Amino acid sequence: MMSPTGNWTVEQPIVALHGVHKSFGSLEVLKGIDIDVMKGEVVCIIGPSGSGKSTLIRTINGLTPVSKGSVKVEGIEVHDAKLDKLALRRKVGIVFQQYNLFPHRTVLQNVMMAPLLVLRENRTEVEERARALLAKVKLKDKENAYPAELSGGQQQRVAIARSLCMRPDVMLFDEVTAALDPETVKEVLVTIRDLAMDGMTCMLVTHEMGFAREISDRVYFTDAGRIVESGPPSQIFETPQDPRTQEFLSKVL
Amino acid sequence: MTPNWTVSRLTWRAPVLAAGLCVLATLAAMAQDGSTGRPSALATLITWVPFILKGFGLNLVMSVLAMALATVSGVILGFMQISPVTLIRLPAKLVTNLFRNSPWLVILFAIMFLVPFQITLPGGDKVMVPDWLKATFGFSLPVMANVSEILRGAVASIPSGQWESAESLAFTRGQTLRHIILPQCIRRMLPPWMNWYALLTLMTPMAAILGVNEALGNTQAAMEAAGSRPEFLIPFYLFLMTIFFVVIYPISICTRRLEKRFATGS
Amino acid sequence: MLDLIAPFFERLYDTTGLNFSPFYNSYDWGRLVEGMWVSVKLITAIIAVSLVIGVIGAGAQTSRLRIIRWMVSAYIEIFRNTPPIVQLLFFYFGLGAITPQVDMGGWYEPAIGSFGWAVIAIGIFGGSYNVEIFRSGIEAVPASTKEAAESLGFSGFKIFVYVTFPLALRICLPALTNNIVSLAKTSSLAYVIAVPEITYSLSGIWSDSVNVPEMMLLLFGYYIVLIAIIARIMTMIERKIALPGYGQ
């Protein structure tokens, strides 16, 4: 088994994708992706539907195996068969479009479950941490509710707290506001912004262009499985170079 | 499009399983064929196959008759269950629940012992009721109750909007049922109805307990007539299971196909 | 108990001819109580066996080995498409004839008695339905929920224990209730191999006292009460594990 930290230092990218290809059968979804993310950076991936954004983000915590290329988190190859998946999964948290809370557990139990069962941490410590996280996502009063009793925005904030309770180094957000009612989108975005302000390394796949522009350090525009253009948000949104980026932005903005 | 359920559409598993059962029966028969001089268990089984199959014919006759009876009475009972008149609805519910919640064997006993051996026809002639007919009647009762419940459930599953729109078009209750509700129910009722036919057929060997000469009764009689040797038991019972399997398994497959089609089709 | 009701039922017999012999005759009373007790034990054991088989079978159906999956479906098809009464006779007489005998100090008894064979045979029969019930419950748990657990670091086993199974159980409980009720009724088949459960002991009473209608009434009453109790217990479990706002 490889050591969880490897030889990685803070000067190197915390997430590094190089030449990542992914095919589902004969359908090639990713056609050579290169992305480097430094610790504390906030990176947004934008692009038309079906451009492989979700697949891309899911390769980073190993949910979707890559066909070719390398994905490294803190210097460790994610798709190494000998990799200790648990070490990876506590470093990388992911929040999904459909929240995917455990419907048979209360909000507090949802947040505490993984640290207790997977990391076997001390219950009182976990409980304290979970309560603090629920307070941070402003759901302190809902800790004994079941997921189905909450709105979509509330469920999504629980999902964020649940991931954070594993104390990850990197957070992935896979179109987390796409399934929400317009009025609850904002509360989730505020939560993510607070997180980014605190210095968490974040990678987001999003359709919220205003939000991407506001919080990103860098924006990647993907189309048909390739990165077409990348750069600081001011450059991508104000002076896009590639005609595909221009066309996409003219449609969504 | 008319559904075309032919043998060629069955999965390959059916014949393989049936053949497997037969081979198992044969092997069991041969494995126990120790002593010389007496006919082997397999040879004995082959001798008695026609007798057992003749009994099996009675199983099929009983199942078809009982199903016909159960369908007619079950549909009537089902309509009574959805009647707006309490005096009709409550007794129907009672009868349905009584026969749904009692074991087949208990119902069979009740019919056997409580129905008179002979009935007097209107003309004054006395007719003996054969046991197999009484058993058929007994088998039809639990199925009747379940058909009644299937009908009630199917009608209840039609969205209330259908009733409302029919009412707004000035349909009567009877017209709504006949022209709007029931046509939509038949599709949903067919698979469970077929399921109950299969189950009913599988229950018919219980008639042997009451001395009816159907497949199980004949199998036991055959084993006795051939000398009651213990090595008969496994091959004879396996053979009996095989003939039921050969008839029931295709029905099960059809039912499953229909269920799947209706589940995805609607 | 019997002393209390005996005078009433004796008078009932004298005045109306309705002969509820177990309610005044202590021998028949004993047979009734014993029959009910054996029936409850039998049903409990059958349900337990069928549930264990159901869980194991549903697990085996997810096996990577094709032969194991094939064997489970062969088991299901064979036991669901052959008469349960013949299955029971096959087990009791066919397999019973080749199971070893146990030395009871002078005489020999079969290692498995009629009660044991009834539990095995009807349990295996009921298990063939439970496998399908559990399997469809497990399949109904959304893959995305399991994925969420996976990305939180849960191992495959922990995902099954803490996420898939608790959700699958809730999904398949109504179907499970149906099968348990139907198994309780099927337990009366044990009559044919002389297990002294309620149907068997009451048939003993009615052949001695020639009071078939009265004993039939008792038998129907017993099963109606029993089914009602089972249904009530299952509803209680269903309510207890129901999730607020989920699946309604």
Side-chain angles (χ1 to χ4, degrees):
Chain A
M1 206 191 309
M2 296 173 80
S3 100
T5 45
N7 304 317
W8 178 76
T9 58
V10 184
E11 289 77 43
Q12 293 166 337
I14 189 165
V15 176
L17 289 87
H18 290 290
V20 171
H21 288 256
K22 174 65 189 177
S23 307
F24 293 105
S26 60
L27 182 71
E28 201 174 17
V29 184
L30 300 178
K31 302 169 183 165
I33 299 282
D34 298 283
I35 293 180
D36 283 329
V37 181
M38 303 304 288
K39 188 166 169 51
E41 268 192 310
V42 176
V43 167
C44 281
I45 299 161
I46 60 170
S49 304
S51 61
K53 305 183 299 284
S54 286
T55 310
L56 167 60
I57 208 159
R58 289 160 58 97
T59 62
I60 298 171
N61 77 338
L63 274 181
T64 303
V66 299
S67 309
K68 213 168 82 189
S70 118
V71 179
K72 283 185 178 164
V73 174
E74 297 188 0
I76 302 165
E77 179 56 53
V78 171
H79 298 282
D80 184 335
K82 286 176 292 180
L83 171 77
D84 174 13
K85 278 260 159 63
L86 176 57
L88 169 72
R89 299 245 149 100
R90 55 188 296 188
K91 282 188 206 312
V92 184
I94 185 164
V95 183
F96 302 92
Q97 182 178 342
Q98 292 295 342
Y99 347 123
N100 298 344
L101 294 180
F102 305 127
H104 58 303
R105 297 296 182 104
T106 64
V107 164
L108 185 65
Q109 286 169 341
N110 258 281
V111 178
M112 291 170 59
M113 229 167 128
L116 285 181
L117 293 171
V118 178
L119 305 179
R120 303 201 170 281
E121 290 186 86
N122 177 284
R123 175 172 278 273
T124 38
E125 275 171 37
V126 173
E127 199 166 326
E128 205 174 302
R129 199 162 79 221
R131 288 226 162 84
L133 283 168
L134 285 176
K136 200 168 160 187
V137 299
K138 306 196 173 51
L139 285 172
K140 210 173 179 175
D141 52 331
K142 295 285 186 194
E143 64 173 49
N144 290 319
Y146 281 88
E149 299 174 293
L150 303 181
S151 74
Q154 290 170 328
Q155 289 194 53
Q156 195 58 291
R157 283 182 282 150
V158 176
I160 294 172
R162 181 176 71 172
S163 281
L164 289 175
C165 206
M166 292 291 276
R167 289 184 286 201
D169 297 336
V170 179
M171 281 291 282
L172 310 175
F173 297 90
D174 184 7
E175 300 194 28
V176 289
T177 56
L180 298 179
D181 295 332
E183 66 265 29
T184 57
V185 167
K186 202 178 162 206
E187 61 195 37
V188 174
L189 294 183
V190 167
T191 308
I192 298 174
R193 190 181 57 203
D194 291 349
L195 200 60
M197 301 274 200
D198 290 347
M200 173 65 76
T201 311
C202 294
M203 291 182 75
L204 295 89
V205 168
T206 185
H207 288 294
E208 300 285 335
M209 294 305 150
F211 183 66
R213 186 173 188 166
E214 176 197 338
I215 70 159
S216 308
D217 295 308
R218 211 144 18 86
V219 175
Y220 289 83
F221 174 73
T222 60
D223 188 23
R226 287 203 175 81
I227 291 170
V228 176
E229 199 171 349
S230 70
S234 54
Q235 180 197 318
I236 297 288
F237 287 103
E238 278 151 35
T239 55
Q241 303 298 307
D242 195 281
R244 276 175 292 176
T245 320
Q246 292 163 355
E247 193 198 336
F248 174 74
L249 289 174
S250 73
K251 272 187 204 154
V252 297
L253 287 181
Chain B
M1 274 212 322
T2 46
N4 184 22
W5 310 117
T6 57
V7 178
S8 65
R9 294 200 56 182
L10 298 179
T11 62
W12 54 277
R13 250 194 282 157
V16 168
L17 274 174
L21 274 171
C22 289
V23 169
L24 220 66
T26 316
L27 284 181
M30 294 202 292
Q32 298 192 351
D33 188 22
S35 53
T36 46
R38 292 189 298 181
S40 72
L42 183 63
T44 316
L45 176 60
I46 290 169
T47 318
W48 288 99
V49 159
F51 181 59
I52 296 173
L53 285 181
K54 199 176 138 232
F56 185 61
L58 185 56
N59 287 81
L60 294 182
V61 169
M62 285 195 291
S63 70
V64 170
L65 275 182
M67 197 65 198
L69 199 59
T71 307
V72 173
S73 55
V75 167
I76 294 171
L77 199 61
F79 276 121
M80 288 168 70
Q81 271 208 92
I82 53 174
S83 160
V85 183
T86 316
L87 216 61
I88 298 177
R89 196 176 61 236
L90 279 188
K93 275 202 186 317
L94 196 78
V95 171
T96 301
N97 284 326
L98 175 70
F99 288 118
R100 275 184 77 210
N101 291 330
S102 305
W104 293 72
L105 187 62
V106 175
I107 294 173
L108 208 55
F109 273 142
I111 296 304
M112 256 349 196
F113 292 124
L114 301 182
V115 171
F117 289 101
Q118 55 180 24
I119 46 173
T120 313
L121 291 180
D125 295 330
K126 289 195 161 81
V127 182
M128 291 288 284
V129 183
D131 279 351
W132 69 268
L133 206 58
K134 283 164 94 178
T136 304
F137 183 55
F139 289 130
S140 73
L141 289 174
V143 183
M144 167 193 78
N146 281 287
V147 169
S148 155
E149 193 59 18
I150 291 169
L151 183 83
R152 193 196 60 76
V155 171
S157 73
I158 303 293
S160 61
Q162 296 286 313
W163 286 95
E164 282 160 15
S165 54
E167 204 181 329
S168 69
L169 293 168
F171 279 83
T172 64
R173 187 183 160 79
Q175 285 173 322
T176 311
L177 264 177
R178 196 174 141 215
H179 298 289
I180 317 279
I181 306 298
L182 283 185
Q184 301 184 54
C185 289
I186 304 255
R187 269 160 60 99
R188 296 173 202 234
M189 287 171 59
L190 194 57
W193 182 82
M194 286 167 64
N195 242 334
W196 276 100
Y197 175 71
L199 201 61
L200 166 66
T201 310
L202 294 180
M203 291 301 176
T204 51
M206 268 197 239
I209 302 169
L210 306 161
V212 176
N213 295 323
E214 48 64 73
L216 175 58
N218 280 8
T219 303
Q220 289 175 326
M223 283 191 283
E224 205 163 307
S228 296
R229 280 150 51 194
E231 66 261 34
F232 290 161
L233 289 162
I234 291 180
F236 272 71
Y237 281 130
L238 273 183
F239 174 74
L240 188 55
M241 283 161 76
T242 309
I243 51 178
F244 273 95
F245 186 87
V246 166
V247 171
I248 298 303
Y249 189 59
I251 298 177
S252 298
I253 293 207
C254 282
T255 312
R256 230 173 292 164
R257 291 243 162 94
L258 276 183
E259 264 169 6
K260 219 177 253 171
R261 236 172 54 135
F262 291 167
T264 53
S266 53
Chain C
M1 171 76 185
L2 188 59
D3 295 337
L4 223 65
I5 57 170
F8 172 77
F9 282 99
E10 268 173 339
R11 203 157 21 145
L12 187 74
Y13 184 29
D14 289 340
T15 52
T16 63
L18 288 175
N19 182 8
F20 284 93
S21 56
F23 294 142
Y24 61 82
N25 176 323
S26 66
Y27 179 63
D28 284 358
W29 170 254
R31 288 206 270 188
L32 172 69
V33 171
E34 173 71 10
M36 295 201 312
W37 173 230
V38 172
S39 161
V40 168
K41 273 197 300 189
L42 183 68
I43 291 169
T44 313
I46 287 172
I47 292 172
V49 168
S50 77
L51 288 178
V52 169
I53 292 178
V55 172
I56 295 175
Q61 265 191 338
T62 63
S63 164
R64 259 172 297 179
L65 294 175
R66 177 181 295 225
I67 180 79
I68 291 183
R69 291 200 308 266
W70 196 88
M71 276 165 62
V72 176
S73 30
Y75 153 65
I76 293 172
E77 303 300 1
I78 288 171
F79 281 87
R80 286 172 73 149
N81 293 295
T82 55
I85 187 174
V86 182
Q87 292 170 20
L88 182 62
L89 293 171
F90 173 77
F91 274 95
Y92 181 64
F93 290 113
L95 298 186
I98 54 175
T99 45
Q101 306 270 311
V102 189
D103 190 342
M104 298 295 284
W107 78 94
Y108 287 89
E109 267 193 5
I112 304 170
S114 60
F115 183 91
W117 280 118
V119 170
I120 293 171
I122 304 175
I124 290 178
F125 167 73
S128 67
Y129 287 84
N130 284 348
V131 173
E132 290 278 277
I133 292 172
F134 284 136
R135 188 186 56 91
S136 60
I138 288 170
E139 276 176 6
V141 175
S144 56
T145 308
K146 290 182 260 184
E147 211 167 56
E150 193 190 338
S151 57
L152 285 167
F154 283 67
S155 64
F157 179 72
K158 276 184 184 150
I159 292 175
F160 185 80
V161 172
Y162 294 106
V163 179
T164 313
F165 186 73
L167 288 173
L169 188 67
R170 288 173 169 87
I171 295 166
C172 67
L173 209 58
L176 201 59
T177 304
N178 272 344
N179 193 35
I180 285 176
V181 164
S182 133
L183 273 182
K185 291 188 284 172
T186 310
S187 73
S188 64
L189 265 190
Y191 167 92
V192 301
I193 57 170
V195 177
E197 48 74 73
I198 184 95
T199 314
Y200 188 82
S201 51
L202 286 188
S203 76
I205 296 176
W206 77 53
S207 54
D208 289 352
S209 315
V210 205
N211 51 354
V212 177
E214 294 90 332
M215 292 306 99
M216 276 297 160
L217 208 63
L218 223 71
L219 202 49
F220 276 110
Y222 169 80
Y223 277 106
I224 285 172
V225 171
L226 182 84
I227 303 295
I229 291 173
I230 294 177
R232 172 59 66 83
I233 293 174
M234 295 307 286
T235 316
M236 265 166 53
I237 296 176
E238 224 167 299
R239 275 215 198 109
K240 184 142 189 166
I241 64 174
L243 301 169
Y246 183 70
Q248 286 155 8

